[in-house]
Amino acid sequence: MVCIATFRTASMTIMFERTCRKEGIRSKIVPVPRSLSASCGFACEFPCEAIENIKQICETKKIEVDSFHEV
């Protein structure tokens, strides 16, 4: 199982992905799954076991995540 973070802007998606990688968390930019949104856009996929660490990093780095999902 993986987790997906969605964003309102492409710049936040890129910032999230780069920050995760710098912190040693595997992540990659992916299209938003149709099951989450009908609109096109980008999201980031990451291991669910890192979610608490990621939430803390996002708060510290002011990365605006729209929502988190397990898929």
Side-chain angles (χ1 to χ4, degrees), residues 11-71:
S11 62
M12 283 293 143
T13 307
I14 293 166
M15 184 185 296
F16 178 92
E17 192 265 347
R18 287 183 180 164
T19 302
C20 284
R21 287 183 186 243
K22 285 180 186 175
E23 296 289 329
I25 300 168
R26 188 180 76 248
S27 66
K28 68 178 180 176
I29 295 174
V30 297
V32 174
R34 291 279 178 215
S35 60
L36 299 181
S37 174
S39 64
C40 60
F42 296 107
C44 258
E45 183 180 284
F46 61 91
C48 290
E49 57 268 11
I51 195 164
E52 292 306 319
N53 189 20
I54 284 174
K55 286 180 178 180
Q56 186 175 29
I57 291 166
C58 288
E59 186 176 326
T60 302
K61 303 281 186 178
K62 308 282 191 252
I63 299 172
E64 298 170 10
V65 177
D66 193 35
S67 60
F68 291 100
H69 305 271
E70 286 186 19
V71 291

